[in-house]
Amino acid sequence: MPKGYIFAEIEVTDPETYERYRPLAAAAIAAHGGRYLVRGGEPRVLEGDRSPKRVVVLEFDSPEQAEAFYRSAQYQEALAIRQRSSEGHLYLLAGADAPAG
């Protein structure tokens, strides 16, 4: 079964409010078996015209588990804070199946 990933490009517009988001999101991610693979950093664009300020990649045991996290009641409080304090794009991705053999 493929892993599930949430890929986010975020630009924080209200850092003070965004700081309230972080612990709530981290708790919801952990409660749903998620792990941070990438958190923040300074992304370098190799192709295209996007220039994200902050990138986050979360890994879950399945795409269904990733979506369950995103839609969970626990994450909804954090989500409301993030949407008030940042702009961005989030994507739900399914990982590649491991080759047989």
Side-chain angles (χ1 to χ4, degrees):
M1 171 175 274
K3 300 273 187 179
Y5 298 90
I6 292 181
F7 174 79
E9 299 173 326
I10 303 293
E11 181 172 354
V12 176
T13 56
D14 179 351
E16 186 175 316
T17 300
Y18 191 83
E19 284 304 313
R20 294 187 359 237
Y21 164 77
R22 289 167 161 254
L24 295 173
I29 291 163
H32 288 84
R35 298 164 289 289
Y36 286 97
L37 296 182
V38 176
R39 189 176 191 181
E42 297 180 14
R44 292 185 329 165
V45 176
L46 299 178
E47 290 187 26
D49 60 0
R50 284 185 108 110
S51 55
K53 304 295 183 208
R54 177 178 180 74
V55 171
V56 176
V57 179
L58 304 174
E59 180 183 60
F60 294 84
D61 288 337
S62 70
E64 294 79 14
Q65 193 172 354
E67 187 165 2
F69 148 74
Y70 181 79
R71 300 200 184 288
S72 71
Q74 184 178 12
Y75 183 63
Q76 294 311 296
E77 179 184 358
L79 176 61
I81 293 169
R82 183 182 54 76
Q83 289 177 334
R84 284 195 312 269
S85 62
S86 68
E87 296 178 4
H89 299 86
L90 268 72
Y91 309 91
L92 174 62
L93 307 167
D97 286 325

